[in-house]
Amino acid sequence: MKILFASSEVFPHAKSGGLADVASALPHAIKEFEDISRVMPLYGFMSKKGLKKVKNLEIKISHIKYDVVVYTKLQKKVLTYFIEAPLLSSTQNMYADEKGDYANNDLRFSIFCNAIVVLSLELGVDIIHLNDWHTALTALYIKDAKLDIKTVFTIHNLAYQGIFDFESLQRVGIDSKYFSMDKLEFYGRVNFLKAGVFYSDAVTTVSSNYAKEILTKEFGCGLDGFLKVHKAKLSGILNGIDTDIFNPKTDKTLVYRFDKNSLKDKYKNKVEFIKQSTLKDPRKPLFVMITRLVEQKGIDLVLSSLKKLLQNKLNFFMLGEGGENISIHLEKLSKKYDNFEFFNGYNESLSHMAYASADFLLMPSRFEPCGLNQLIAMRYGTIPVVHSVGGLKESVFEDILACGIGIVFEKFTQKEFLSAIDRALKLKKDTKKLDEIKQLNMECDFSFEKSALKYIEIYYKILK
Ligand code: ADP
């Protein structure tokens, strides 16, 4: 079986969030069992150093020809194909600049999808594994051309659907016969994600719980009815993490590397982290939050609770990117409180140091398809404090001494959130129990192996 894994972002080349981590780690795990390669765009900000130019492809969309250049790079036994094409590759960001989303994202990602189809035919792949709306049109193009290739479509976050004006259909070369409510139409506009769901042979999302939640009005983002129609081919598979990249024993970005038997060295990182921040006193419990600054992540709950939260004897460090208004507000608060520091931006090495130094990770998400932060945190002996939703409900447990121990609150209210913080502070005082939990979490297997096998099972099922 030959598989091509397609994603708009792959760590370390381009990353805006968890999708890039998954697109990096999952193919490596699948490669242990099956023949898989990967394809992603070559964006304008990416370096071509180390890439090998391997072929030219020609694609046509609405009678316009686009010349595509394909590069490759081998990483940990997985070959990645990079697609360089007009419009797709000319931007300095993936999806948007300071003015907002690129106006031609429909065409940019349609070019990517067309290139995936042509490349797949040349490579003779049996399965294309598509991820999120940027790759979704591939499924439609495959079915439209009656090609003998099966597709799996994974929804990493239903909140992002790729919605464009009606005119987009013509721009991306899709016949208007597909513009109906049961297919691509969405309140008079065109919805790319719907193409992925409708035309793929299997649809997955990143936790079993989220697979159930998206069938409800509350979490369905307007697509719950549509998804219910396709329920039979929908399943949930929990994400893992790359346990080589996220490994406190070998992580070069840490000042002190450690494992479950050397938690003193975790504390030394904390001392160093506090020294380099505006915070004081490493003996105080350190809470961190590492996040995109969007409503999904519960930023509003944190902001409305912040004053009360900071009245406790604790330090709170937040690393966040996005939303100019929120970041300006957080910067002001950071100056006001001496036990709160906000670092504005995306910073990979700082995030590792924060995971390693913290006692607790805050993840009060309104909704969370899977969430990777809580898994990374536990791998670094940091205890997650989470809202019981989506994948968090499936990976963090408060009541049992098993894998994935943390503090869990049920209702998305200030009262429950602050009460969870209180429980965390109480736990911090019980050093023996705290260390025991840290060690148990650090022993857990958060790798992608189990999930990789579940994806492979789906690939074989749809090939039958
Ligand atoms: P999402 O994809 O919704 O943003 P996930 O929990 O699936 O959330 O994945 C988030 C990933 O992005 C994790 O690897 C996390 O460490 C990383 N991350 C998020 N925000 C930042 C940031 N500001 N700086 C560095 N890494 C970040």
Side-chain angles (χ1 to χ4, degrees):
M1 178 169 54
K2 215 168 179 180
I3 309 143
L4 182 66
F5 189 94
S7 173
S8 59
E9 47 185 279
V10 180
F11 179 82
H13 310 291
K15 172 171 168 177
S16 75
L19 171 62
D21 290 332
V22 173
S24 166
L26 177 57
H28 292 151
I30 292 173
K31 185 72 184 180
E32 294 299 317
F33 310 97
E34 295 292 340
D35 181 3
I36 188 166
S37 49
R38 176 167 50 203
V39 59
M40 71 172 292
L42 182 73
Y43 298 106
F45 59 87
M46 285 162 55
S47 157
K48 284 185 197 163
K49 204 172 154 224
L51 306 189
K52 195 167 132 195
K53 188 171 163 181
V54 288
K55 57 174 93 211
N56 294 294
L57 304 174
E58 194 187 279
I59 60 166
K60 222 188 229 175
I61 303 171
S62 291
H63 309 294
I64 300 171
K65 274 193 212 159
Y66 296 89
D67 291 319
V68 173
V69 187
V70 184
Y71 298 79
T72 57
K73 186 175 181 176
L74 189 68
Q75 291 151 300
K76 279 213 237 167
K77 295 192 256 175
V78 175
L79 193 66
T80 304
Y81 292 89
F82 297 88
I83 302 297
E84 185 181 48
L87 307 180
L88 177 67
S89 302
S90 54
T91 57
Q92 282 309 308
N93 292 300
M94 281 183 274
Y95 317 120
D97 58 17
E98 57 288 344
K99 289 188 223 120
D101 287 350
Y102 295 125
N104 61 356
N105 272 348
D106 53 350
L107 186 53
R108 290 179 67 231
F109 288 101
S110 155
I111 292 171
F112 182 46
C113 293
N114 274 279
I116 295 170
V117 176
V118 178
L119 181 67
S120 299
L121 286 172
E122 289 211 359
L123 299 176
V125 309
D126 305 296
I127 302 262
I128 312 177
H129 189 153
L130 304 166
N131 294 277
D132 278 352
W133 73 262
H134 321 90
T135 58
L137 292 186
T138 312
L140 188 154
Y141 293 138
I142 297 268
K143 285 285 184 301
D144 197 42
K146 299 190 173 56
L147 302 176
D148 187 21
I149 300 175
K150 301 285 183 192
T151 52
V152 176
F153 181 62
T154 298
I155 301 168
H156 293 262
N157 192 336
L158 189 63
Y160 303 96
Q161 300 177 4
I163 298 170
F164 302 95
D165 292 344
F166 171 74
E167 289 70 34
S168 172
L169 269 190
Q170 205 237 326
R171 273 201 299 275
V172 302
I174 291 177
D175 195 292
S176 57
K177 72 179 181 203
Y178 294 110
F179 192 69
S180 57
M181 225 166 96
D182 63 325
K183 298 193 176 77
L184 270 63
E185 193 266 347
F186 188 69
Y187 297 99
R189 307 180 81 201
V190 184
N191 184 318
F192 282 18
L193 183 133
K194 285 183 81 179
V197 172
F198 191 97
Y199 293 101
S200 291
D201 301 287
V203 179
T204 70
T205 187
V206 289
S207 67
S208 307
N209 195 39
Y210 192 59
K212 283 188 216 132
E213 286 176 348
I214 57 177
L215 301 179
T216 65
K217 211 172 170 38
E218 190 184 356
F219 296 101
C221 302
L223 288 182
D224 39 301
F226 172 75
L227 288 168
K228 269 188 206 146
V229 175
H230 298 280
K231 197 174 148 193
K233 62 175 178 184
L234 172 69
S235 60
I237 300 177
L238 195 70
N239 279 336
I241 53 171
D242 187 323
T243 46
D244 291 333
I245 292 174
F246 297 108
N247 183 354
K249 208 172 168 179
T250 54
D251 190 333
K252 291 203 172 63
T253 60
L254 307 188
V255 181
Y256 299 96
R257 286 176 268 291
F258 62 98
D259 61 18
K260 68 180 173 65
N261 299 314
S262 56
L263 287 176
K264 278 199 185 100
D265 290 328
K266 177 174 167 66
Y267 183 72
K268 284 191 198 163
N269 280 306
K270 185 183 179 187
V271 173
E272 195 60 36
F273 187 82
I274 297 289
K275 211 194 281 174
Q276 288 180 23
S277 74
T278 57
L279 304 168
K280 290 174 200 75
D281 194 356
R283 286 166 305 177
K284 279 190 194 165
L286 174 63
F287 289 73
V288 297
M289 193 163 168
I290 299 158
T291 186
R292 290 183 296 119
L293 296 172
V294 291
E295 205 192 345
Q296 174 198 344
K297 303 293 178 180
I299 307 294
D300 51 341
L301 184 60
V302 173
L303 281 175
S304 64
S305 315
L306 197 69
K307 198 172 163 199
K308 284 192 181 144
L309 176 81
L310 295 174
Q311 277 164 4
N312 292 297
K313 267 198 181 157
L314 55 81
N315 280 316
F316 180 21
F317 175 81
M318 192 165 174
L319 169 61
E321 189 190 35
E324 201 183 325
N325 288 345
I326 303 179
S327 50
I328 291 171
H329 186 50
L330 284 166
E331 268 164 357
K332 275 191 198 144
L333 292 167
S334 183
K335 286 196 184 103
K336 183 171 168 192
Y337 296 102
D338 65 359
N339 59 344
F340 173 57
E341 180 174 359
F342 168 63
F343 187 99
N344 186 8
Y346 180 89
N347 190 317
E348 196 70 29
S349 52
L350 182 58
S351 78
H352 283 229
M353 198 52 194
Y355 284 120
S357 306
D359 298 293
F360 299 99
L361 172 95
L362 292 185
M363 230 177 148
S365 306
R366 272 180 185 276
F367 69 93
E368 194 58 77
C370 173
L372 299 178
N373 301 41
Q374 80 280 16
L375 305 180
I376 303 169
M378 290 189 277
R379 179 115 173 108
Y380 283 76
T382 293
I383 296 169
V385 178
V386 307
H387 177 216
S388 178
V389 74
L392 297 172
K393 200 171 186 162
E394 226 166 294
S395 54
V396 185
F397 310 93
E398 184 157 346
D399 298 328
I400 49 163
L401 268 195
C403 258
I405 304 167
I407 311 275
V408 182
F409 62 99
E410 294 295 326
K411 285 201 193 112
F412 191 79
T413 60
Q414 195 187 109
K415 192 169 163 226
E416 290 226 3
F417 176 51
L418 289 171
S419 147
I421 304 279
D422 282 347
R423 295 203 293 287
L425 292 172
K426 213 173 270 166
L427 176 63
K428 177 74 174 72
K429 287 186 184 138
D430 188 345
T431 319
K432 194 164 162 264
K433 189 169 173 200
L434 186 77
D435 282 355
E436 194 179 278
I437 292 176
K438 284 180 184 173
Q439 284 170 328
L440 274 171
N441 282 346
M442 289 176 85
E443 276 167 15
C444 295
D445 176 11
F446 294 125
S447 77
F448 247 120
E449 188 178 319
K450 278 183 273 164
S451 300
L453 290 169
K454 288 185 188 163
Y455 281 110
I456 292 169
E457 210 180 303
I458 290 178
Y459 300 155
Y460 276 109
K461 196 169 141 194
I462 59 175
L463 273 183
K464 264 190 209 156

